[in-house]
Amino acid sequence: MPERTLVQAVRDALAEEMERDERVCVLGEDVGLKGGVFKATEGLQRRFGAQRVLDTPLAESSIAAVAQGLALEGYRPVAEMQFADYSFPAFNQIVNEIAKIRYRSNGDFSCPLVIRAPTGGGVRGALYHSQSVEAYYCHVPGLKVLLPSTAADAKGLLKAAIRDPDPVIFLEPKKLYRAERGEVADGDAALRPIGEALVVRPGSALTVITYGFMRAVSLEAAGILARENIDVEVIDLRTLRPWDVEACVRSVRQTGRVAVVYEANRTGGFGAEVAAELAERCFADLDAPVTRIASPDVPAMPFNPGLEDAYMLNPEKIADRLGALARY
Amino acid sequence: MPERTLVQAVRDALAEEMERDERVCVLGEDVGLKGGVFKATEGLQRRFGAQRVLDTPLAESSIAAVAQGLALEGYRPVAEMQFADYSFPAFNQIVNEIAKIRYRSNGDFSCPLVIRAPTGGGVRGALYHSQSVEAYYCHVPGLKVLLPSTAADAKGLLKAAIRDPDPVIFLEPKKLYRAERGEVADGDAALRPIGEALVVRPGSALTVITYGFMRAVSLEAAGILARENIDVEVIDLRTLRPWDVEACVRSVRQTGRVAVVYEANRTGGFGAEVAAELAERCFADLDAPVTRIASPDVPAMPFNPGLEDAYMLNPEKIADRLGALARY
Amino acid sequence: MLDAYRTILLARALDDRRFLLNRVGKLAFIISPRGHEVAQVAAITALEPGRDRFCLYYRDFAAALACGFTPRELMLGAFARAGDPSSGGRQTPGNFGSRRRGVVIGSSTVGPQIPKAAGIALALKWRGDGALCFVSFGEGATSQGDFHEGLNFAAIHRCPVIFFCENNHWAISVPQPLQVAGPGVAERAAAYGIPGVRVRGDDFFGVHAAVSHAARRARAGEGPTLIEAEVVRLQSHSTDDDQRAYREASDLSAEATKDPIPRLRETLISRGWLTVDTDREMTNRLTVEVERATDEAEVAPDPDPATLARHVYADA
Amino acid sequence: MLDAYRTILLARALDDRRFLLNRVGKLAFIISPRGHEVAQVAAITALEPGRDRFCLYYRDFAAALACGFTPRELMLGAFARAGDPSSGGRQTPGNFGSRRRGVVIGSSTVGPQIPKAAGIALALKWRGDGALCFVSFGEGATSQGDFHEGLNFAAIHRCPVIFFCENNHWAISVPQPLQVAGPGVAERAAAYGIPGVRVRGDDFFGVHAAVSHAARRARAGEGPTLIEAEVVRLQSHSTDDDQRAYREASDLSAEATKDPIPRLRETLISRGWLTVDTDREMTNRLTVEVERATDEAEVAPDPDPATLARHVYADA
Ligand SMILES: Cc1ncc(C[n+]2csc(CCOP(=O)(O)OP(=O)(O)O)c2C)c(N)n1
Ligand SMILES: Cc1ncc(C[n+]2csc(CCOP(=O)(O)OP(=O)(O)O)c2C)c(N)n1
Ligand SMILES: [Mg+2]
Ligand SMILES: [Mg+2]
């Protein structure tokens, strides 16, 4: 199987799905000749034409609205928000319109579309190119929210999202676009089911539940603890809504200890949902408090590297907290 | 002290603060002669004029943006979003602009304003006049989020919000606008501190942490359990960001059991933050799992009364869950 | 033509009945089309229900009838019964939707249907079978950013869409001068290089002609048109509103004389297309129809509470 | 006048230096004003820094200098040092802010400053001391709903605001025809009943006159003006972009000849306001100034990581 970076895998998924199904189209700012600011759509316009790969005006609300209109007419639009931070002008279209049209029409209408957006920090993007926005969308019934962290998952889940009958928010950790690479299958063999978490490192001492860029960082932290013979299990959620509660419960039942590691601001982050649910479901099995390890409640990543480092979680910060949890 | 309904208390707070400080002004859709769709601003335009009580165009993003501009120039605007469901067109202005201007300017600028919005259901408002939106705003560093549930708290906290140096999202449970009434002090005596929860019913068997309309419903549930000699302590958070963790921890340390009751959709609701934090902080004191009692993950309240009732929490539903928790 | 007139009378008769039912506490909430009916029906009858798409807004009660909703269906919606074709009683009445009729369900939110209609029209353009999308809204909705984004997008891509503004000069209590900067809504079209037309909303033939012309342009690939129909709001915004709180009594009584239906009736009679007798007959037959629709809806079953959580996502 | 010319040369010299520093890996990210400088400085010098408010956008590097930012301050921003007056190194360079100078800090988000400026101008109107608010943005920003909402609000309330669009015909890779429906940005003013003016952005005196006129109107209570200055983007969108990927080589080389600075220099010399010698002297003095600013910024301290959580809320 070919080696691909995460961003290449996204591009492959788009190309394959557009090849497979002519209803699939791509729209967004600079997705055409430029191929997107991260090159996720590079070459697609040359290959599929300026209709199916449409450069939109600089107006996110209309990007979401037009995608919805196309979906209502039977197309399978994949809309790009250039940065997740810039999905907020489209918030009303996404939350009030796209997420609720199936419900409010009592099932008469549906809106199968994908909204892709690069998310998260660590790339010196500063306040407005670094935000982790998943919590806003994970609270919305009617939406599905995916956040892959490997090339294979990015491709497999994006293909599944495009084929899904409901609207999907597809968040891509921009920090991993080029940093993350791996073997990726072609065609349907690449498909990944929505809603399944994955144990990416088996362990017995404690469970780390994470997603996105924090998967790699948590694995490093687990490596550090391995030297102290603390054997950490790491689970990558991959899908945040609906998330794989059972897989997490299974692990926590065995380890008796769990930390939820997420890059977003701590307060009200999606990790709170995971922690609350597991605290309730696994109460009898817990030997230590369900622990949240997240970013500080600061608006977002500052530009200055020293401040950015101070903001970001890293393997050491996480290892410290995990060590304490293991010793609790 | 005069008896006031919750909506009258809101109006009194606005009138008193406008009287006290000429920088205070009100803007929004229909806030003028009509006095707002819930009459929260009734009479204010006649009293303070059409400049200080400004009817805006039907455009929430500009309502938030104009309020921000006024705040930057030293005014103390109180903007009304006609329904919390309609704050989403302003989401970008609130989250990216208003909440972050102090931080991104390294303290050079600040944005003291209040955004008021009626929230929650139970009034046959259906999908778009019933949503509970607090979780979206509670995840935003830079914002404060208040959600009072009595006339006295509504007045005292709104006055405090108007005087606060930072932007405040002020959510008013529309179900209680007229249903809730009580004695309310005049002037500064009415002021309530931001960030303080209140034990509204002392009890020893278990702690219920709630806010908004669910305060009254939880109290009724507590009444039901009292007949079974289950003595429930009920805490009204009143301020959601920053919320009063210490007061909640104190109570849970004593009762050893806690349920978080909230009207919003369960998944990713603000109650998840409360539950996660208490599960972590009170681990050693807990005799039963931290329990969440919330609305189903359905977009929002349907219009049909039977469906609305099926959606809403009520004293019986809550009492059932609390009984189980007490017997755990 | 008489069909259209009949639809207009039917809308009025149903609306009158809704208010009666509201007064006796049987209907919770009404948004009345009173004063808009002629413009709404004139617009829809210039188009092709079944072929075209319609993004209506909450005041388009008469337009919904013209799109094919039956009195019974609208009454089922008014009573929020399980049989309500739009939402099975889930939404407030007025959010009309029916996939098979091409009526795209709205939400109560003001504005978002405008760029959505541009997207629908883009799809219709791609499909290239000459269908178009009609989207209506009040003048208050033109203040939303979505109005601008929708017109800009549709104009850039020459989408076959008709933007139909029912300007009753009030957005609940906010009058046009505090809502719409500049001369008016129609003038906004020039900013996007598309035609903008202002018509009297009580002039059935004027509205019909303007929409027909816009439809020809749309089907011919010439892109969108913005039409502003000036109408009157003869009722308060909704049954939750009382416009006497913010409008002059003189203004209200003056407007009360501007009901477009009598004017249309006179025109039809003067042109010899209608006689006083046929008109009376028609009215009587409609009354019976309204009776039946009301009775059926009143006894129709409510949605099963067990269906609350259905259709959040596709059924597994 | 020579001051303005000097500011323009200074902006260019600083920008050249930033690119050198970028190439040797010392500066992470630059958005260049190259091609916009004359229009920016002409606009600001027609106003009253200190008295007026300025909502600038990320490309307004030359405008920031004209508003009173010093080369050293801009270099501190470029290096994201603690001494950066805009954000203490927190934001990407280009989000200029300084309360005492009336420069309202922007975010990287395209569009929101437009209705914000309407609100600031409303406050200035209430205060009534004749101050105004200047807000600038690219033509891409005109597609945002916020553009429409801001102009509509400002026009309704006759706010003293100048909407200044620097139209370089590109929004990153999206050309004007896919961005702005209709004839152009200036024509959008008519929709709101306010004046709209298009000027050549390389014509210092034309821009200056247009802004001066708009300022007189604003201060006289006559409301907002929309000005479209047509400029060229002589660099890629930013150092993260390479416009050769989406623009014709011929187009790029043609545009390269349209640098507004030589044209201004010739005008000044032909009018006898500048000699080749004074020009050379000026340039030499600026080079020294740029040196000093760069050296000082390079060695200036970074923000203390311990301050990360400061200014989320007011200090207790
Ligand atoms: C985004 C949003 N904001 C506010 C409201 C509340 N609201 C409902 S109708 C209305 C007035 C609309 O006026 P207009 O667009 O002129 O239509 P009309 O009712 O006059 O036909 C308002 C403010 C809403 N439904 N959606
Ligand atoms: C809301 C939002 N969407 C997208 C972006 C990404 N972005 C930054 S600049 C830009 C192009 C802006 O073009 P224009 O407004 O013409 O200004 P110019 O850069 O050409 O001066 C885009 C798409 C953003 N910053 N904000
Ligand atoms: Mg209206
Ligand atoms: Mg541009």
Side-chain angles (χ1 to χ4, degrees):
Chain A
M1 292 194 293
E3 272 248 330
R4 312 295 276 157
T5 63
L6 195 150
V7 70
Q8 287 169 333
V10 167
R11 193 184 313 139
D12 293 346
L14 293 170
E16 283 182 8
E17 292 305 298
M18 292 181 80
E19 201 59 68
R20 185 188 62 82
D21 180 351
E22 62 179 14
R23 300 170 307 164
V24 177
C25 55
V26 166
L27 66 157
E29 297 154 6
D30 306 292
V31 297
L33 278 185
K34 180 173 169 66
V37 296
F38 292 102
K39 301 272 169 257
T41 58
E42 191 172 37
L44 294 182
Q45 189 177 68
R46 262 191 216 80
R47 182 161 162 200
F48 297 102
Q51 171 175 313
R52 289 183 70 191
V53 182
L54 186 74
D55 274 322
T56 64
L58 208 176
E60 288 76 13
S61 184
S62 63
I63 292 172
V66 167
Q68 184 183 7
L70 293 170
L72 291 171
E73 288 299 322
Y75 288 90
R76 292 304 192 109
V78 182
E80 175 176 299
M81 300 283 157
Q82 200 159 79
F83 288 86
D85 319 58
Y86 303 136
S87 65
F88 299 152
F91 202 71
N92 185 60
Q93 285 287 348
I94 296 170
V95 176
N96 271 341
E97 302 305 307
I98 290 169
K100 295 178 174 54
I101 190 165
R102 182 190 291 277
Y103 192 79
R104 73 171 184 257
S105 68
N106 203 25
D108 193 24
F109 289 87
S110 67
C111 188
L113 59 78
V114 178
I115 294 177
R116 293 180 44 247
T119 190
V123 298
R124 295 208 62 190
L127 273 70
Y128 295 95
H129 305 87
S130 306
Q131 293 175 52
S132 293
V133 305
E134 64 274 14
Y136 301 114
Y137 298 110
C138 286
H139 185 44
V140 183
L143 295 181
K144 295 181 179 179
V145 182
L146 314 188
L147 209 167
S149 59
T150 68
D153 285 346
K155 182 175 182 181
L157 286 170
L158 181 51
K159 287 168 71 78
I162 291 168
R163 302 181 190 192
D164 195 84
D166 287 301
V168 176
I169 306 297
F170 195 84
L171 300 170
E172 303 163 4
K174 64 178 82 72
K175 171 82 171 174
L176 300 177
Y177 267 144
R178 283 166 190 69
E180 181 66 33
R181 51 166 55 249
E183 296 201 329
V184 183
D186 287 333
D188 288 3
L191 277 171
R192 288 268 198 279
I194 290 173
E196 279 187 17
L198 184 72
V199 176
V200 293
R201 185 185 197 284
S204 55
L206 61 87
T207 302
V208 165
I209 298 171
T210 188
Y211 54 92
F213 174 46
M214 285 303 123
R215 165 200 170 129
V217 182
S218 299
L219 283 170
E220 279 190 61
I224 295 173
L225 292 178
R227 292 183 221 121
E228 306 171 24
N229 299 318
I230 299 171
D231 186 13
V232 176
E233 176 149 303
V234 178
I235 295 181
D236 180 356
L237 286 177
R238 307 191 292 185
T239 297
L240 305 187
R241 184 177 185 117
W243 64 288
D244 192 345
V245 184
E246 296 315 320
C248 296
V249 167
R250 241 179 280 119
S251 172
V252 176
R253 291 247 155 94
Q254 285 162 15
T255 61
R257 288 178 161 74
V258 58
V260 185
V261 180
Y262 56 107
E263 183 185 328
N265 300 118
R266 175 183 170 100
T267 299
F270 180 69
E273 173 65 29
V274 175
E277 188 68 18
L278 293 175
E280 188 164 350
R281 292 281 305 275
C282 304
F283 180 74
D285 311 287
L286 287 170
D287 305 320
V290 175
T291 302
R292 287 187 290 160
I293 304 173
S295 293
D297 285 322
V298 163
M301 223 75 58
F303 181 62
N304 175 278
L307 289 175
E308 182 174 283
D309 294 346
Y311 180 99
M312 293 287 289
L313 289 173
N314 60 37
E316 295 67 31
K317 291 180 190 176
I318 295 172
D320 285 353
R321 300 285 310 279
L322 295 182
L325 178 59
R327 285 183 293 275
Y328 180 90
Chain B
M1 292 194 294
E3 271 246 332
R4 312 295 277 155
T5 62
L6 195 150
V7 70
Q8 287 169 332
V10 167
R11 193 185 312 139
D12 293 346
L14 293 170
E16 283 181 9
E17 291 305 298
M18 292 181 79
E19 200 59 66
R20 187 188 60 83
D21 180 350
E22 62 179 14
R23 299 171 307 164
V24 178
C25 55
V26 167
L27 66 157
E29 297 154 6
D30 306 293
V31 297
L33 276 184
K34 179 173 170 65
V37 295
F38 292 102
K39 301 273 170 256
T41 58
E42 192 172 37
L44 294 181
Q45 189 179 66
R46 263 191 213 80
R47 181 161 162 202
F48 296 102
Q51 171 175 314
R52 289 182 71 190
V53 182
L54 187 74
D55 274 321
T56 64
L58 208 176
E60 288 75 14
S61 184
S62 63
I63 292 172
V66 167
Q68 183 183 8
L70 293 170
L72 291 172
E73 288 300 322
Y75 289 89
R76 292 305 191 106
V78 182
E80 176 176 299
M81 299 283 155
Q82 199 160 80
F83 288 86
D85 318 57
Y86 303 137
S87 66
F88 299 152
F91 202 71
N92 185 59
Q93 286 286 349
I94 296 170
V95 176
N96 271 341
E97 302 304 307
I98 290 169
K100 294 179 174 57
I101 191 166
R102 182 189 291 277
Y103 191 79
R104 74 173 184 255
S105 68
N106 203 27
D108 193 25
F109 289 87
S110 67
C111 189
L113 59 78
V114 178
I115 293 176
R116 293 180 43 247
T119 190
V123 299
R124 298 208 59 190
L127 274 70
Y128 296 96
H129 304 86
S130 306
Q131 292 175 54
S132 294
V133 304
E134 65 274 13
Y136 301 114
Y137 298 110
C138 286
H139 186 44
V140 184
L143 295 180
K144 296 180 179 179
V145 181
L146 313 188
L147 209 167
S149 59
T150 68
D153 284 346
K155 181 174 182 181
L157 285 171
L158 182 51
K159 287 168 70 79
I162 291 169
R163 302 182 191 192
D164 195 84
D166 287 300
V168 176
I169 305 297
F170 194 85
L171 300 170
E172 302 163 4
K174 64 178 81 74
K175 171 82 170 172
L176 299 178
Y177 267 144
R178 283 166 191 70
E180 181 65 33
R181 51 166 55 249
E183 296 203 330
V184 183
D186 288 331
D188 288 2
L191 275 170
R192 289 267 200 274
I194 291 172
E196 279 187 19
L198 185 71
V199 176
V200 294
R201 185 187 197 285
S204 56
L206 62 86
T207 302
V208 165
I209 297 170
T210 188
Y211 53 91
F213 173 47
M214 285 303 123
R215 166 202 169 127
V217 183
S218 299
L219 283 170
E220 280 191 59
I224 295 172
L225 292 178
R227 295 184 218 118
E228 307 171 25
N229 299 320
I230 300 172
D231 186 13
V232 176
E233 176 149 303
V234 178
I235 295 180
D236 180 355
L237 286 177
R238 307 190 292 184
T239 297
L240 304 187
R241 185 177 183 118
W243 64 289
D244 192 344
V245 184
E246 296 316 319
C248 297
V249 167
R250 241 180 281 118
S251 172
V252 176
R253 291 247 157 93
Q254 285 163 13
T255 61
R257 289 177 160 77
V258 58
V260 185
V261 180
Y262 56 106
E263 183 186 328
N265 300 117
R266 174 183 170 99
T267 299
F270 180 68
E273 172 65 29
V274 176
E277 189 67 20
L278 294 175
E280 188 164 351
R281 293 280 305 274
C282 304
F283 180 74
D285 311 288
L286 286 170
D287 306 319
V290 175
T291 302
R292 287 187 291 160
I293 304 174
S295 293
D297 284 323
V298 162
M301 222 76 56
F303 182 62
N304 175 278
L307 289 175
E308 182 174 283
D309 293 346
Y311 180 100
M312 293 287 287
L313 289 173
N314 60 36
E316 295 68 31
K317 292 180 191 176
I318 295 172
D320 286 353
R321 300 285 310 280
L322 295 183
L325 178 60
R327 286 183 293 273
Y328 181 90
Chain C
M1 174 58 228
L2 280 194
D3 281 357
Y5 176 63
R6 192 180 165 291
T7 305
I8 290 163
L9 292 184
L10 180 55
R12 178 63 61 92
L14 282 162
D15 195 50
D16 290 339
R17 177 57 51 101
R18 292 195 302 172
F19 275 95
L20 288 178
L21 293 161
N22 172 259
R23 247 172 251 112
V24 299
K26 287 182 174 178
L27 288 187
F29 180 72
I30 303 167
I31 297 185
S32 173
R34 210 173 193 83
H36 291 230
E37 300 99 327
V38 167
Q40 288 176 12
V41 175
I44 303 300
T45 51
L47 302 173
E48 301 180 30
R51 178 189 188 193
D52 296 327
R53 301 290 183 274
F54 301 85
C55 297
L56 305 180
Y57 83 116
Y58 51 79
R59 203 171 294 286
D60 282 329
F61 189 77
L65 278 173
C67 285
F69 281 81
T70 66
R72 182 170 165 285
E73 288 175 327
L74 293 182
M75 277 299 179
L76 286 167
F79 282 95
R81 301 302 189 204
D84 160 31
S86 297
S87 73
R90 288 177 170 195
Q91 288 211 92
T92 42
N95 295 301
F96 308 102
S98 168
R99 191 172 181 68
R100 65 185 177 84
R101 294 190 178 110
V103 178
V104 180
I105 186 137
S107 75
S108 307
T109 315
V110 168
Q113 74 273 28
I114 300 172
K116 195 185 306 176
I120 290 170
L122 181 65
L124 298 174
K125 174 188 161 191
W126 286 354
R127 205 171 291 132
D129 54 16
L132 61 81
C133 183
F134 170 90
V135 57
S136 54
F137 46 88
E139 86 289 350
T142 67
S143 296
Q144 288 284 12
D146 271 358
F147 168 81
H148 170 68
E149 296 190 17
L151 267 72
N152 189 48
F153 188 95
I156 288 171
H157 295 283
R158 299 177 142 263
C159 300
V161 54
I162 298 172
F163 298 104
F164 189 75
C165 178
E166 302 179 26
N167 183 356
N168 59 18
H169 310 291
W170 290 90
I172 305 187
S173 72
V174 180
Q176 180 168 343
L178 287 178
Q179 186 73 251
V180 183
V185 173
E187 285 75 4
R188 300 217 161 159
Y192 310 99
I194 64 172
V197 199
R198 183 178 294 107
V199 286
R200 287 187 52 151
D202 62 353
D203 173 4
F204 183 95
F205 304 97
V207 173
H208 193 278
V211 175
S212 303
H213 182 70
R216 270 194 303 282
R217 290 189 71 255
R219 300 193 204 282
E222 292 162 26
T225 303
L226 172 62
I227 297 173
E228 175 184 11
E230 290 197 287
V231 294
V232 289
R233 193 186 80 188
L234 295 175
Q235 280 286 354
S236 291
H237 172 73
S238 76
T239 44
D240 290 348
D241 178 45
D242 179 357
Q243 57 183 337
R244 287 168 306 183
Y246 50 82
R247 289 182 71 176
E248 300 292 338
S250 56
D251 168 24
L252 287 172
S253 48
E255 196 161 275
T257 66
K258 301 215 181 105
D259 187 337
I261 294 184
R263 175 168 181 236
L264 178 59
R265 178 181 294 112
E266 280 142 35
T267 315
L268 295 180
I269 290 176
S270 66
R271 294 196 185 184
W273 297 357
L274 180 76
T275 70
V276 178
D277 297 352
T278 49
D279 184 48
R280 197 182 306 99
E281 272 168 43
M282 218 185 246
T283 317
N284 297 339
R285 264 188 267 99
L286 292 178
T287 319
V288 180
E289 216 180 313
V290 171
E291 287 295 348
R292 199 180 329 102
T294 309
D295 298 345
E296 288 176 21
E298 213 173 333
V299 298
D302 278 323
D304 175 357
T307 62
L308 173 70
R310 190 134 183 250
H311 301 310
V312 178
Y313 298 98
D315 295 333
Chain D
M1 174 59 228
L2 280 195
D3 281 357
Y5 176 63
R6 192 180 164 288
T7 306
I8 290 164
L9 292 185
L10 180 55
R12 179 62 62 91
L14 283 162
D15 195 51
D16 290 339
R17 177 58 51 100
R18 292 195 300 172
F19 275 95
L20 288 178
L21 294 161
N22 173 258
R23 245 170 254 113
V24 298
K26 286 183 174 178
L27 287 187
F29 181 72
I30 302 167
I31 298 185
S32 172
R34 210 175 193 82
H36 291 229
E37 301 99 326
V38 167
Q40 288 176 12
V41 175
I44 303 299
T45 51
L47 302 173
E48 300 180 32
R51 178 190 188 192
D52 296 326
R53 302 291 183 274
F54 302 86
C55 297
L56 305 180
Y57 83 116
Y58 51 79
R59 204 172 294 286
D60 283 329
F61 188 77
L65 279 174
C67 285
F69 281 81
T70 67
R72 183 171 164 283
E73 288 176 325
L74 293 182
M75 277 299 180
L76 286 166
F79 282 95
R81 300 301 189 208
D84 159 32
S86 296
S87 73
R90 289 177 170 194
Q91 289 210 92
T92 42
N95 295 302
F96 308 102
S98 168
R99 192 170 181 67
R100 64 186 178 84
R101 293 192 180 108
V103 179
V104 180
I105 186 135
S107 77
S108 306
T109 315
V110 167
Q113 75 273 28
I114 300 171
K116 195 185 309 175
I120 291 170
L122 181 65
L124 298 174
K125 173 187 161 194
W126 287 352
R127 204 171 293 129
D129 56 15
L132 61 81
C133 183
F134 170 90
V135 58
S136 55
F137 46 87
E139 86 290 348
T142 66
S143 297
Q144 289 284 10
D146 272 358
F147 167 81
H148 170 67
E149 295 189 16
L151 267 72
N152 189 47
F153 188 96
I156 288 170
H157 295 283
R158 299 178 142 263
C159 300
V161 54
I162 298 172
F163 298 104
F164 189 75
C165 178
E166 302 178 25
N167 183 356
N168 58 19
H169 310 292
W170 290 89
I172 305 186
S173 72
V174 180
Q176 180 168 344
L178 287 178
Q179 186 73 251
V180 182
V185 173
E187 285 75 4
R188 301 219 159 158
Y192 311 99
I194 64 171
V197 199
R198 183 179 292 106
V199 286
R200 287 188 52 154
D202 62 352
D203 173 3
F204 183 95
F205 305 97
V207 173
H208 193 279
V211 175
S212 303
H213 182 70
R216 269 194 303 282
R217 290 190 69 255
R219 301 193 204 280
E222 292 162 26
T225 303
L226 172 62
I227 298 173
E228 175 184 12
E230 290 197 287
V231 295
V232 288
R233 194 185 79 188
L234 295 175
Q235 280 285 353
S236 292
H237 172 73
S238 75
T239 44
D240 289 348
D241 177 44
D242 179 355
Q243 58 183 335
R244 287 167 306 181
Y246 51 81
R247 289 181 71 176
E248 302 290 341
S250 56
D251 168 25
L252 286 172
S253 47
E255 195 161 279
T257 66
K258 301 216 181 105
D259 187 336
I261 295 184
R263 173 165 183 239
L264 178 60
R265 178 182 293 110
E266 281 142 34
T267 317
L268 295 180
I269 290 175
S270 66
R271 294 197 186 182
W273 297 356
L274 181 76
T275 72
V276 177
D277 297 352
T278 50
D279 185 49
R280 195 181 308 100
E281 271 170 42
M282 215 185 253
T283 317
N284 296 339
R285 263 189 268 100
L286 291 177
T287 320
V288 181
E289 216 179 315
V290 171
E291 287 296 347
R292 201 183 325 105
T294 311
D295 298 345
E296 287 177 21
E298 214 174 331
V299 298
D302 277 322
D304 175 356
T307 62
L308 172 70
R310 192 139 180 245
H311 300 310
V312 177
Y313 298 98
D315 295 332

